[in-house]
Amino acid sequence: MNRHDLALIGFGGVNRALAELIRDRGDELATELGFALRVVAITDLRLGSLMQEDGIDLDAVFALAPGATFAGWPGGDAEPRNVEVIRNTTADIVVEATFTNPIDGEPGVSHVRLALEAGKSVTTTNKGPVALAGPQLNAIAAANGVHFAYEGSVVSGTPVLRFAASTLQGLRVDAVRGILNGTSNYVLGQMEAGMDLAAAVAEAQTLGYAEADPTADIEGSDVRLKVVILANEVLGADITPADVTCTGITGITPADIVDAAARGLRYKLIGAAERLADGSVRASVEPVALPLTHPLAGISGPTNAVSFETDLLGTVTVSGPGAGRVETAYALLSDIIEIDARVAQTAAARR
Amino acid sequence: MNRHDLALIGFGGVNRALAELIRDRGDELATELGFALRVVAITDLRLGSLMQEDGIDLDAVFALAPGATFAGWPGGDAEPRNVEVIRNTTADIVVEATFTNPIDGEPGVSHVRLALEAGKSVTTTNKGPVALAGPQLNAIAAANGVHFAYEGSVVSGTPVLRFAASTLQGLRVDAVRGILNGTSNYVLGQMEAGMDLAAAVAEAQTLGYAEADPTADIEGSDVRLKVVILANEVLGADITPADVTCTGITGITPADIVDAAARGLRYKLIGAAERLADGSVRASVEPVALPLTHPLAGISGPTNAVSFETDLLGTVTVSGPGAGRVETAYALLSDIIEIDARVAQTAAARR
């Protein structure tokens, strides 16, 4: 049976969930998908690095005592030697799941570039490299005959990028609009129910939706990166975060929300990109008071959604979870399935 | 360039919209999709039959005077010789768009079977053959090395079947629930706004959402066929309409709706299929009072939606138009794109 060997760069919640999935359901998935998955390298800020080309015993990794590292393991090291592992691993797919750096995308951009240049395909859930260097990294992938996939960089495992690529063929997509941040959507919903902004944010933190520092969620900068990715991927634009006007929800008061409701409207933080008559793409993040009949008006709580406005079909919308470690790990799995299919297509075309 | 020759069986609104699309955007689509489309046969109850293996002049067809037929045209006949055309056409894809017969699916079932047995792939928007004979017709397609595709049999062009097949791989889908009839959804919405059932139905008829005889929409039998298709396609069941319990919306009173609203609930006509612990599939059509936070609760007016309940991703939902001639014609185009891709895959695998 065909097999893919994985290098997991970053071993936080998401890559850990992927490893658990491979351990617990690997055989079942192999039967269903036609290929096996094996982890041959792991790097992590706290655990260090591990390369074992015959496959890592994942149970042993999960059994590591708190504070322990890979030092002393065969192929192990206490240091997270990301660059060395990416260059030297025998993996054919590198799974990049380090933190999102919204300024320059590093070290994610370098991780992805090095892997692609070394002839390895890459899947990532990291918005940084995709939003800040997506077109360049795609060009490097093409030049090296490998693949770069990043479904989880927008709306976690909910397949919005793949939906656009694989089920909307033959349509012209004129605009894409989404609820792309669950925290701000939850907060707006609680404000509609009578809470003030600060209390709603505190509640979202308690529930685990919001980070300790909720600025990126509330001020719109998280959505801004996702709008760049959607604009470039779905509308074929080539924009950067600086091209996206950005207004968060901190200017929305409970009075605004009550007033909107009286007019049959509901505030949502909308990330949007639309193609203008001159062919250029305008992109924005801003609170919009939507009519209740709008497909995004009914998206509640931490759910995310993306609407695609098309010529022949009108508006079609995909909604689902926008976060969660297992949900985001599924994005990685779905990218691996896609990479496997593309590799098989290339092989068939060469025969 | 690769090309597909089409035989259009039935030349009502949907196939006419497909023919217009080919005439108006054929060149553009060929560039985008990598194949050309040509119509080589048309049959219609009123127009009769036409077979021209070098391609039919669609402008001439659209210019036919009211009441005129294909009699006297080269390859033309005043009679709708469906069976003869399906057997003898040089088309490689038969586009079946005759009326839905909810009793035995005829003549659609025979049209599809004859085409597949003659080595032609089939796309249809006709619920009858898919709901009443889908598994058998798929088996005939496989035995003859051709393809049977029917995205438009559920939720018109909104790609719910393709979404499940192409973007949810690796997930276990435990249940599928949808708002699958725009008329009944519109009527429930108007009843929530204070109208009674009869007035809401009359308004839906005026707006063109409801048929002259709205029974199939209001009593749930239209949804029942779609639930069979979803259950068989997405959950791998093998059920027929008799296996689906069915209650329409005629038993819902304005008082029920007001009462539900007071409890934070909203009535929707839900078509559902779910896999039970013993592996069997239970399917139903019934009005359900959903909490407003449910992903289907916010689907308003004539919009349709399908929620997929999965193991790793939770619930993901696709919403979009559930009717319309151009929207449904897009379903046929998306099937043709899929058939082209499958033919190419088979050819590559044989090389």
Side-chain angles (χ1 to χ4, degrees):
Chain A
M1 178 179 283
N2 192 11
R3 188 186 69 219
H4 294 290
D5 283 353
L6 309 181
L8 308 184
I9 307 304
F11 201 63
V14 172
N15 261 347
R16 202 172 270 267
L18 179 65
E20 287 167 4
L21 187 63
I22 291 169
R23 180 193 61 180
D24 299 339
R25 284 186 47 189
D27 291 346
E28 187 188 328
L29 285 171
T31 304
E32 181 189 340
L33 301 172
F35 59 84
L37 289 173
R38 190 169 72 165
V39 177
V40 298
I42 296 174
T43 71
D44 183 73
L45 272 176
R46 285 165 304 172
L47 302 178
S49 313
L50 184 61
M51 280 200 285
Q52 296 186 339
E53 60 185 88
D54 294 331
I56 291 170
D57 176 356
L58 295 171
D59 278 321
V61 175
F62 292 126
L64 269 175
T69 75
F70 293 131
W73 292 37
D77 192 309
E79 296 299 312
R81 303 190 180 280
N82 289 322
V83 168
E84 217 178 300
V85 169
I86 290 169
R87 283 218 172 98
N88 299 329
T89 176
T90 54
D92 61 310
I93 300 178
V94 170
V95 184
E96 215 283 346
T98 66
F99 65 98
T100 291
N101 171 343
I103 307 304
D104 63 5
E106 293 295 354
V109 172
S110 294
H111 291 166
V112 175
R113 195 186 61 242
L114 288 169
L116 297 172
E117 287 173 349
K120 291 147 190 162
S121 289
V122 176
T123 163
T124 189
T125 56
N126 186 340
K127 291 181 289 293
V130 190
L132 297 163
Q136 299 89 308
L137 293 170
N138 272 315
I140 294 171
N144 286 278
V146 292
H147 307 285
F148 181 35
Y150 34 82
E151 182 66 66
S153 65
V154 184
V155 199
S156 80
T158 303
V160 297
L161 298 182
R162 203 145 286 132
F163 178 80
S166 70
T167 75
L168 300 181
Q169 287 181 72
L171 295 174
R172 196 186 63 223
V173 180
D174 297 315
V176 55
R177 277 174 228 283
I179 292 176
L180 301 168
N181 181 277
T183 301
S184 54
N185 199 48
Y186 179 82
V187 166
L188 285 174
Q190 292 304 90
M191 288 175 72
E192 193 176 336
M195 231 177 239
D196 69 18
L197 179 73
V201 169
E203 189 180 81
Q205 286 169 324
T206 306
L207 290 167
Y209 301 152
E211 306 285 333
D213 177 0
T215 313
D217 294 328
I218 301 303
E219 298 287 4
S221 60
D222 172 70
V223 175
R224 186 183 222 170
L225 294 180
K226 294 168 180 167
V227 166
V228 170
I229 297 171
L230 285 170
N232 290 350
E233 192 73 9
V234 180
L235 301 183
D238 184 6
I239 65 172
T240 68
D243 299 316
V244 184
T245 62
C246 184
T247 308
I249 64 169
T250 50
I252 303 287
T253 64
D256 293 332
I257 287 173
V258 169
D259 183 54
R263 292 179 292 138
L265 303 173
R266 178 177 288 152
Y267 272 102
K268 293 290 183 187
L269 182 61
I270 299 296
E274 54 191 316
R275 186 173 285 113
L276 304 181
D278 68 2
S280 68
V281 168
R282 178 171 59 197
S284 61
V285 179
E286 59 186 342
V288 180
L290 299 174
L292 296 183
T293 52
H294 190 284
L296 297 176
I299 304 296
S300 67
T303 303
N304 285 12
V306 178
S307 286
F308 302 87
E309 296 174 18
T310 74
D311 54 346
L312 300 175
L313 250 189
T315 299
V316 289
T317 303
V318 178
S319 69
R325 55 192 288 280
V326 174
E327 292 83 348
T328 309
Y330 171 69
L332 295 169
L333 176 63
S334 77
D335 280 346
I336 292 167
I337 294 170
E338 172 77 13
I339 290 168
D340 177 75
R342 289 201 230 165
V343 169
Q345 271 170 22
T346 308
R350 278 191 188 143
R351 270 206 303 268
Chain B
M1 176 180 284
N2 193 10
R3 188 186 68 221
H4 294 291
D5 283 353
L6 310 180
L8 308 184
I9 308 302
F11 202 63
V14 172
N15 261 347
R16 201 172 271 266
L18 179 65
E20 287 167 2
L21 188 62
I22 292 169
R23 181 194 59 179
D24 298 339
R25 285 186 46 189
D27 291 345
E28 188 189 329
L29 285 169
T31 304
E32 181 188 340
L33 301 171
F35 60 83
L37 289 173
R38 191 168 71 165
V39 178
V40 298
I42 297 175
T43 71
D44 184 73
L45 273 178
R46 285 166 304 171
L47 301 179
S49 314
L50 182 64
M51 282 200 284
Q52 297 186 339
E53 61 183 86
D54 293 331
I56 291 170
D57 175 356
L58 296 171
D59 278 320
V61 175
F62 292 127
L64 268 175
T69 74
F70 293 131
W73 291 39
D77 192 309
E79 296 299 311
R81 303 188 181 282
N82 289 321
V83 170
E84 217 178 300
V85 168
I86 289 169
R87 283 216 173 99
N88 298 328
T89 176
T90 53
D92 61 309
I93 300 178
V94 170
V95 184
E96 216 285 345
T98 66
F99 64 98
T100 291
N101 171 345
I103 307 305
D104 63 6
E106 294 294 357
V109 173
S110 293
H111 290 167
V112 175
R113 195 185 64 242
L114 288 169
L116 297 172
E117 287 173 350
K120 291 148 191 161
S121 290
V122 175
T123 163
T124 190
T125 57
N126 185 340
K127 292 182 289 292
V130 190
L132 297 163
Q136 299 90 308
L137 294 171
N138 273 315
I140 294 172
N144 287 276
V146 291
H147 308 286
F148 181 35
Y150 34 82
E151 182 66 69
S153 65
V154 185
V155 200
S156 81
T158 303
V160 297
L161 299 181
R162 201 144 288 132
F163 178 79
S166 68
T167 74
L168 301 180
Q169 288 182 70
L171 295 174
R172 196 185 64 224
V173 180
D174 298 315
V176 56
R177 278 175 228 283
I179 293 176
L180 302 168
N181 181 277
T183 301
S184 55
N185 198 50
Y186 178 83
V187 165
L188 285 173
Q190 293 304 90
M191 288 175 72
E192 194 177 336
M195 232 177 239
D196 70 18
L197 179 73
V201 169
E203 189 180 81
Q205 287 169 321
T206 305
L207 290 167
Y209 300 153
E211 306 285 331
D213 177 0
T215 312
D217 294 329
I218 301 303
E219 298 288 5
S221 60
D222 171 70
V223 176
R224 185 182 223 171
L225 295 180
K226 294 168 180 167
V227 166
V228 171
I229 297 170
L230 285 169
N232 291 349
E233 192 73 8
V234 180
L235 300 182
D238 184 5
I239 66 172
T240 68
D243 298 315
V244 184
T245 62
C246 185
T247 308
I249 63 169
T250 51
I252 302 289
T253 65
D256 293 333
I257 287 173
V258 169
D259 183 54
R263 292 180 290 136
L265 303 174
R266 177 178 289 153
Y267 272 104
K268 292 291 183 187
L269 182 62
I270 300 296
E274 55 191 316
R275 186 174 283 112
L276 304 180
D278 67 3
S280 67
V281 168
R282 178 170 61 194
S284 60
V285 180
E286 61 188 339
V288 180
L290 299 175
L292 296 185
T293 53
H294 190 284
L296 297 176
I299 303 297
S300 67
T303 303
N304 284 13
V306 177
S307 286
F308 302 87
E309 296 174 19
T310 74
D311 55 347
L312 300 176
L313 250 191
T315 300
V316 288
T317 303
V318 178
S319 69
R325 54 192 288 280
V326 173
E327 293 83 349
T328 309
Y330 172 69
L332 296 169
L333 176 63
S334 78
D335 281 347
I336 292 167
I337 294 170
E338 172 77 14
I339 290 168
D340 178 75
R342 291 203 227 162
V343 168
Q345 271 170 22
T346 309
R350 279 191 188 145
R351 269 206 302 268

